[in-house]
Amino acid sequence: MSTAQRTALDLDRLRRERPRSRLARASLLGLVALVAYSWLGGDIALDDLFSTRRAENLARFLAVDAAPHALRGTDWGCSDWLAFAHGLWQDRGYAGLLQTLAISVLAIVLAGIAALGGAFLAARNVASPTPFGDAGRPGWPAWRVVAPLVRAWLVLLRAVPEYVWAFLLLAMLGPNAWPAVLALAIHNAGILGKLGAETVENLDPRPLSAWRSLGASRAQGAWLAALPLAANRYLLYFFYRFETCVREATVLGMLGVVSLGYWIQDSRAKQFYDEMLAFVVLGAGLVLAADLASALVRRALRRGA
Amino acid sequence: MSNPRPPPDPARRPFPVTPRVSVAASLLVAGLAAWLALDAPLARLVPESGGLAVAREFFAAALRPALDYEAPVPAGTPHILAQALAAARRTVVFATAAMSVALVLGIALGFLSTSAWWSGELSGGAGPLRRLCARTLGPTVWAAARLVIVVMRSVHELLWAVLFLAAFGLNTAGAVAAIAIPYGGTLAKIFSEMVEEAPRDAAWALRGAGATPLQVFVFGLVPRAAPDMAAYSFYRFECAVRSAAVLGFFGFPTLGYAIAQAFENLHYREVWTYLYALVALVLAIEAWSGALRRRFVA
């Protein structure tokens, strides 16, 4: 048998024995069908998007609405627009920007602290009845239910969208910064708690069992073995969620907390689209800066790991 | 003669200041500074009695979501469960349509913003065309694609929606575009990171066999990253469903619209009916992607 023939046979065998999954095929078919249905089912008015009315709308938005109100009809240039933007910045932009940043920072720090506790209590290798030798101590079987309970709690925290938390907290606490901060903190505590618990569960079990065999308690094991090993990855997740927090903090302002989103919504309601556009651009700049800062910190953390 | 104390060995400090310790400490300081910058007095954390009643009513309603409207509705309004189902269906439709566009955008931009296929790293020969690609064309395209991705990603989907509302008026395709743009950017970013970090074994083998850089990229690198890419796309689909639901707050006919209306009418039990529909949707997608993941990862 020549080499070429043997290669062909091998390829044939490889082809026959390639992993195949009925579930994957059915999923692919189902997804294709779902995409086709979503576009053709009549819910998405593509033809309306290209109608003359929409075209007129767009033309008016670009030509008239997006231009600064005071300058409309005049022959304005770049410096005029900068002056307009500078006025907005001094008037509301800077304060809104600062507010948005502060909301997201406080929210993610609170979420990070809360989720750290949740992560250990939800990790099945730390919060379980057996490994820490408390068998026989009063109340030890209670550890059997701790992890599932905390997990369910974390699911509840993150399953309710932050907007719903914000709506509810606004109704409870009235208009101040707490509803936005707490809504973001609660939702992100749920997410960080889950990610943290997974991190702790995936840790190398040897350091933990070494401390355990030395007689360390559960809390000591968590503090001395699990926390140092999990800290870097947890911080990576923390900064990843911080980026999301900055995005959401802008938007949550639309519900009534005075962040950039509030001014976006305010100018939208007044149909001051020139101001709205400027605030959206400002928010994008903040997101950009936060992403950059977070990426730098994450790179430093990876290197320090 | 007194014995001079030996300088402290940094490795034996009782509490070594590693990067992560300094990061954690500065985070606490940042949190404190943020709190001081905000109008967030601790006293306002205590809900007024009215607020407590609202919370109690809201969470009590969780245990008995509305199976019928809480107030009389105009004749001919479909049953609330039918209404929830229809809103859920539209939520999935919007999310699916947006994800289909986002995937196309993500794959195209992700490819353009990956350096592996043009940087000299994976290319064999060194013809003039190859060099032009690696020195000029590649980096230009790469930088342009990165810039586009950054712009797409830095505006939140709800703000895209607000922009499209202002530019086009209320149009369902605008909602789809509002989700598709930031999601496309995110997919592109993550896809390119996954491809750059994929194991290079197959790529080196193909390169050794004389494949062109593009062939190495398509047949050596992408398949190694494909399972991760698929899993991440599923996760984003889940997020897209949530985003589509939230777009309802701006008048698009998804679950969020029903939630906002029920909230405004103080019909908390109806709010929970729609919330449970949303949770069920997300859990169903999670179960689906989980089953697929177990099939491929395990």
Side-chain angles (χ1 to χ4, degrees):
Chain A
M1 208 193 286
S2 75
T3 322
Q5 270 174 323
R6 207 173 303 135
T7 313
L9 271 181
D10 284 346
L11 282 178
D12 216 39
R13 214 191 69 217
L14 274 176
R15 194 179 149 68
R16 255 182 289 117
E17 292 176 0
R18 74 189 189 275
R20 264 173 296 190
S21 150
R22 206 175 290 170
L23 177 67
R25 287 188 174 192
S27 298
L28 196 62
L29 270 180
L31 282 174
V32 169
L34 198 58
V35 169
Y37 171 71
S38 69
W39 284 107
L40 305 173
D43 289 294
I44 295 162
L46 261 187
D47 45 342
D48 175 53
L49 187 65
F50 297 111
S51 65
T52 46
R53 190 161 64 95
R54 299 294 174 201
E56 283 163 15
N57 251 339
L58 180 64
R60 202 195 55 228
F61 177 75
L62 291 178
V64 184
D65 292 344
H69 186 261
L71 303 173
R72 276 179 208 159
T74 64
D75 186 23
W76 54 278
C78 206
S79 58
D80 296 323
W81 192 85
L82 281 180
F84 156 78
H86 183 71
L88 272 189
W89 168 260
Q90 290 206 315
D91 184 24
R92 284 159 286 170
Y94 175 67
L97 194 77
L98 209 63
Q99 197 85 346
T100 311
L101 184 65
I103 287 172
S104 44
V105 169
L106 184 55
I108 196 65
V109 169
L110 289 178
I113 294 170
L116 200 57
F120 286 114
L121 292 177
R124 279 175 285 237
N125 54 348
V126 174
S128 60
T130 35
F132 286 95
D134 13 49
R137 262 191 234 169
W140 70 273
W143 281 103
R144 212 183 289 274
V145 296
V146 168
L149 272 184
V150 175
R151 264 163 195 270
W153 174 244
L154 292 175
V155 168
L156 176 74
L157 295 189
R158 67 174 184 273
V160 178
E162 52 267 70
Y163 307 94
V164 174
W165 283 120
F167 256 126
L168 178 68
L169 289 162
L170 263 175
M172 280 172 66
L173 305 176
N176 57 79
W178 280 120
V181 171
L182 290 181
L184 281 176
I186 290 171
H187 185 75
N188 282 292
I191 294 175
L192 278 178
K194 176 205 172 189
L195 293 172
E198 278 171 7
T199 308
V200 172
E201 283 184 357
N202 292 338
L203 287 179
D204 181 356
R206 285 170 303 182
L208 197 59
S209 65
W211 280 111
R212 198 191 306 144
S213 62
L214 287 174
S217 71
R218 189 188 314 274
Q220 285 168 333
W223 177 252
L224 294 168
L227 181 66
L229 288 173
N232 252 23
R233 185 148 270 269
Y234 186 75
L235 280 174
L236 287 180
Y237 287 136
F238 177 93
F239 280 100
Y240 147 69
R241 284 315 299 179
F242 170 63
E243 295 172 21
T244 331
C245 251
V246 176
R247 286 178 167 75
E248 303 292 342
T250 317
V251 172
L252 278 183
M254 301 175 101
L255 300 179
V257 179
V258 184
S259 76
L260 274 177
Y262 178 84
W263 297 117
I264 291 173
Q265 180 73 348
D266 181 62
S267 42
R268 188 170 95 89
K270 293 180 187 152
Q271 300 203 327
F272 290 175
Y273 291 131
D274 49 342
E275 293 187 359
M276 186 187 94
L277 207 58
F279 286 131
V280 168
V281 171
L282 192 57
L286 177 65
V287 166
L288 209 64
D291 277 10
L292 199 65
S294 152
L296 288 177
V297 177
R298 280 187 300 169
R299 190 187 295 168
L301 281 171
R302 278 217 192 86
R303 226 182 289 125
Chain B
M1 208 167 84
S2 68
N3 212 359
R5 201 182 274 194
D9 177 0
R12 301 196 55 179
R13 266 183 297 188
F15 198 75
V17 181
T18 57
R20 62 180 181 232
V21 171
S22 48
V23 166
S26 29
L27 282 177
L28 287 180
V29 174
L32 198 66
W35 177 61
L36 291 174
L38 282 172
D39 159 41
L42 285 179
R44 293 301 295 271
L45 270 178
V46 185
E48 300 134 24
S49 58
L52 264 186
V54 167
R56 208 175 302 124
E57 199 187 335
F58 181 79
F59 284 109
L63 296 177
R64 28 185 220 113
L67 298 175
D68 211 335
Y69 291 105
E70 292 184 51
V73 285
T77 315
H79 190 265
I80 185 167
L81 295 182
Q83 195 92 302
L85 203 65
R89 186 189 65 82
R90 283 190 296 265
T91 307
V92 172
V93 162
F94 279 34
T96 312
M99 269 311 281
S100 64
V101 178
L103 263 180
V104 174
L105 288 174
I107 289 172
L109 283 168
F111 173 72
L112 293 178
S113 65
T114 307
S115 61
W117 58 276
W118 52 261
S119 76
E121 202 183 346
L122 289 176
S123 54
L129 186 68
R130 190 79 38 86
R131 221 173 308 134
L132 178 74
C133 237
R135 297 251 174 91
T136 330
L137 214 59
T140 316
V141 171
W142 178 85
R146 285 269 142 151
L147 188 68
V148 172
I149 290 172
V150 159
V151 171
M152 286 162 77
R153 265 168 52 77
S154 347
V155 178
H156 191 279
E157 60 260 26
L158 288 184
L159 297 184
W160 280 116
V162 164
L163 285 180
F164 286 136
L165 273 175
F168 291 107
L170 189 65
N171 172 281
T172 43
V176 171
I179 300 178
I181 291 173
Y183 277 54
T186 304
L187 284 178
K189 176 176 180 253
I190 301 287
F191 282 175
S192 79
E193 280 172 8
M194 282 175 168
V195 168
E196 306 261 10
E197 283 165 19
R200 297 268 160 127
D201 45 2
W204 291 121
L206 280 177
R207 192 199 147 166
T212 67
L214 199 61
Q215 286 170 333
V216 172
F217 182 81
V218 174
F219 297 107
L221 274 183
V222 171
R224 295 292 262 154
D228 280 344
M229 285 161 67
Y232 187 74
S233 304
F234 248 106
Y235 164 68
R236 288 310 290 191
F237 181 41
E238 207 182 297
C239 300
V241 166
R242 249 186 297 246
S243 293
V246 170
L247 276 186
F249 288 135
F250 294 91
F252 297 103
T254 59
L255 278 167
Y257 183 68
I259 291 177
Q261 282 213 316
F263 235 120
E264 271 167 29
N265 296 327
L266 305 179
H267 294 161
Y268 295 135
R269 292 177 55 210
E270 288 182 22
V271 171
W272 279 101
T273 309
Y274 298 122
L275 269 184
Y276 282 133
L278 179 60
V279 171
L281 271 186
V282 170
L283 285 182
I285 295 172
E286 219 168 88
W288 186 8
S289 71
L292 273 175
R293 207 170 22 237
R294 267 192 302 284
R295 187 72 189 69
F296 284 102
V297 177

